[in-house]
Amino acid sequence: MSKENGESQFGFKDKAKAEETLTLLEEHDMQYRKLTVRGLLGRAKRVLTMTKAEEKIKNIKEAMEVFENWLEENGGGSSNKNTKTDSNDKVDTVPGLGFKDKEAAEKTLKILDGRDPDYQKLAVKGLIGSSKRVLGGTKSEDKIKAIKEGVAVLEDFLEKFELENRSKLNFAYLAHSIIASFPKPSNKLAAEFVDVYGGRAKGNYKHLRTLYPKDNDSLTWDIVRNQEVKLLKEKIAKNSAKLFGEDGSPTEDHLNMIYWAYSPQTDKVKSFAEKNKTKGEKRKSSAPSSDSSSDSEEEQKKSKKRRS
């Protein structure tokens, strides 16, 4: 990127330049846009320390505000986030989302299909918010028309989302620590999911949005998981199956659902997992050590010799 003296197509000299920059960045993927905006914010701060003209300082601060608001609304966090947070943003961001025209908006909805409903709503709202800023900095009538057509598609989605109350279809995730308290699943795909959730995803369900099963590179883990949970819920409802046995343990169908990080009775599952953990710790602490066992056997031998 060139210097902030007019050579660069991206810049932060004032609010208009910042808005123009965001418009130009629409042609790039989200991660590139975030990195570029953060870079511009860093440079703007350095320029401020060397600038004395009040008018110029005011203009740069207004530009910085545009960038900071954009980052907040697009999951990028504030400009002072550290490298670890930047890395998390990259993992959580689903690539390919956009609104530049009707085709891009329809592609966005296709990419979001099957993902957590709450995330779908959040992502679409974020895109609509971004579109308003882009429209404010766009002069081309053709681009304005195309963006408005794309936004109309997204707004129609949100309207139907609320009308159909799709949030009720959101399957809240169980913590990986709860799943790990049960025996490993025999189902190969479920076992792989449990390993990925606790391993590559580091127990953060958001990371599942960009991770794929070994034998399926078309659907990410969050989509696969939601499909499996839906099927199991339908099976349990159809058979009027119980979720817990007489001893309070999850039934087989319920346990299969738990392996996919979901339960309709979260609190009860947490309580059972905690009791199991406590029992396991007690058994472990009360079990005789190998040394004490050896000592006991030795005492028995000595006792027999004395009796003889």
Side-chain angles (χ1 to χ4, degrees):
M1 194 181 298
S2 304
K3 295 180 180 180
E4 174 59 22
N5 59 4
E7 296 176 23
S8 173
Q9 59 177 331
F10 305 143
F12 51 80
K13 69 178 182 179
D14 54 28
K15 183 178 179 180
K17 185 63 177 178
E19 289 173 342
E20 179 190 348
T21 295
L22 292 179
T23 301
L24 293 169
L25 284 171
E26 287 297 326
E27 300 298 322
H28 300 275
D29 66 76
M30 180 58 77
Q31 186 59 19
Y32 175 82
R33 286 150 68 184
K34 287 181 180 180
L35 291 173
T36 301
V37 169
R38 289 192 186 113
L40 288 167
L41 278 168
R43 288 173 55 205
K45 288 179 180 179
R46 290 194 296 275
V47 171
L48 279 178
T49 62
M50 299 180 287
T51 303
K52 296 181 179 179
E54 289 186 8
E55 186 65 23
K56 190 172 182 181
I57 290 173
K58 176 178 173 293
N59 290 339
I60 292 174
K61 284 185 176 179
E62 287 178 352
M64 289 175 66
E65 186 178 0
V66 170
F67 288 145
E68 286 167 347
N69 289 339
W70 183 88
L71 281 174
E72 286 293 336
E73 293 185 21
N74 286 276
S78 59
S79 58
N80 62 350
K81 295 288 183 180
N82 57 25
T83 306
K84 184 177 179 181
T85 304
D86 293 348
S87 176
N88 286 341
D89 289 339
K90 181 177 181 180
V91 175
D92 296 348
T93 303
V94 173
L97 307 184
F99 56 80
K100 68 178 182 178
D101 52 30
K102 185 178 179 180
E103 184 181 355
E106 289 174 343
K107 180 186 175 184
T108 289
L109 297 183
K110 188 175 181 181
I111 291 171
L112 291 174
D113 186 38
R115 299 182 188 276
D116 305 325
D118 283 355
Y119 174 68
Q120 294 181 37
K121 181 179 178 180
L122 181 67
V124 170
K125 277 191 169 184
L127 289 169
I128 292 174
S130 296
S131 72
K132 292 177 182 178
R133 289 189 301 280
V134 172
L135 283 171
T138 303
K139 296 179 181 179
S140 168
E141 291 297 327
D142 288 341
K143 282 188 177 181
I144 291 173
K145 179 175 179 292
I147 290 172
K148 285 184 175 179
E149 288 176 351
V151 171
V153 171
L154 299 178
E155 289 177 335
D156 183 55
F157 168 85
L158 273 186
E159 185 178 336
K160 289 179 180 177
F161 188 99
E162 298 296 346
L163 190 65
E164 298 170 6
N165 192 21
R166 295 182 192 174
S167 286
K168 68 181 179 182
L169 301 176
N170 199 70
F171 304 138
Y173 284 76
L174 290 172
H176 181 268
S177 58
I178 293 175
I179 304 170
S181 68
F182 293 93
K184 289 187 177 181
S186 57
N187 179 278
K188 183 181 177 182
L189 189 62
E192 186 185 346
F193 170 79
V194 173
D195 286 343
V196 170
Y197 186 21
R200 291 168 64 199
K202 300 177 182 178
N204 187 339
Y205 71 89
K206 295 178 182 179
H207 294 2
L208 298 171
R209 297 171 190 160
T210 51
L211 297 175
Y212 294 82
K214 291 177 183 176
D215 299 327
N216 186 346
D217 59 358
S218 61
L219 297 177
T220 48
W221 271 118
D222 59 329
I223 297 175
V224 173
R225 177 258 185 183
N226 287 341
Q227 289 178 346
E228 294 294 329
V229 170
K230 184 180 179 182
L231 290 173
L232 287 165
K233 278 178 68 75
E234 290 173 352
K235 179 183 177 183
I236 289 174
K238 183 180 179 181
N239 299 331
S240 300
K242 292 183 178 181
L243 294 177
F244 297 92
E246 293 182 3
D247 62 350
S249 63
T251 58
E252 184 179 353
D253 285 336
H254 188 190
L255 185 57
N256 287 334
M257 195 182 291
I258 290 171
Y259 288 137
W260 290 102
Y262 176 75
S263 171
Q265 297 284 336
T266 304
D267 290 340
K268 204 168 180 180
V269 169
K270 284 182 180 178
S271 178
F272 179 82
E274 192 61 37
K275 286 178 182 177
N276 258 7
K277 182 182 177 182
T278 303
K279 286 179 181 178
E281 289 173 349
K282 284 182 178 179
R283 283 196 297 268
K284 188 175 180 181
S285 62
S286 62
S289 66
S290 58
D291 289 342
S292 62
S293 297
S294 299
D295 291 345
S296 179
E297 289 175 3
E298 193 64 32
E299 285 297 322
Q300 288 177 14
K301 289 180 182 178
K302 287 180 179 179
S303 179
K304 285 181 180 179
K305 286 182 179 179
R306 284 198 294 270
R307 285 200 298 270
S308 62

